[in-house]
Amino acid sequence: MDGTTSSQPSTAPQSLHFHPDYLDAVRAEQKTTTVRFRDPVETGPVCLVFELDDEVALPGVVTQVTVKRVAELSESDARADGFRDLAELHDRLRFHYPRIGPTDTITIVHFRLAK
């Protein structure tokens, strides 16, 4: 034996970290997507992590990943992300990613809580 490890894929789910403000909306299934900038995500099992004093982690599944430019985001994208409208989504994107611009490529991560 040469001491190398197996090349089997990891069975540990990937993690998606969220601002704690989104916990209630995710639990209520009002937020079913998240827009990510320079944060690669794949379909499959995921651990939804909320960064509170006591970390909260919910099991979930990433069902779809869509890539588009910020300027291509729609009102329906904003509502699926738990926002009232596209303007609110753009405000939050600038809060989380201050240098993001309309021509930047983002990833829309569609997810659901594991049953």
Side-chain angles (χ1 to χ4, degrees), residues 57-79:
L58 304 173
V61 177
V62 172
T63 58
Q64 180 181 349
V65 176
T66 305
V67 176
K68 58 172 68 174
R69 297 199 185 281
V70 172
E72 297 172 325
L73 287 166
S74 67
E75 292 289 335
S76 62
D77 292 328
R79 285 189 297 279

Side-chain angles (χ1 to χ4, degrees), residues 13-14 16 18 26-29 31-32 44-50 57-63 110-115:
Q14 62 194 324
L16 269 179
F18 289 84
V26 169
R27 279 187 169 150
E29 298 180 2
K31 179 175 178 63
T32 58
V46 67
C47 185
L48 309 172
V49 180
F50 297 84
L58 304 173
V61 177
V62 172
T63 58
H110 301 257
F111 64 88
R112 64 174 170 76
L113 293 175
K115 301 292 181 191

Side-chain angles (χ1 to χ4, degrees), residues 43-55:
T43 57
V46 67
C47 185
L48 309 172
V49 180
F50 297 84
E51 298 159 351
L52 299 157
D53 290 338
D54 291 323
E55 186 176 272

Side-chain angles (χ1 to χ4, degrees), residues 70-74 83 85-95 100 102:
V70 172
E72 297 172 325
L73 287 166
S74 67
F83 298 105
D85 55 30
L86 188 54
E88 185 181 17
L89 172 57
H90 280 263
D91 287 344
R92 291 305 285 185
L93 285 174
R94 284 190 297 275
F95 171 77
I100 199 166

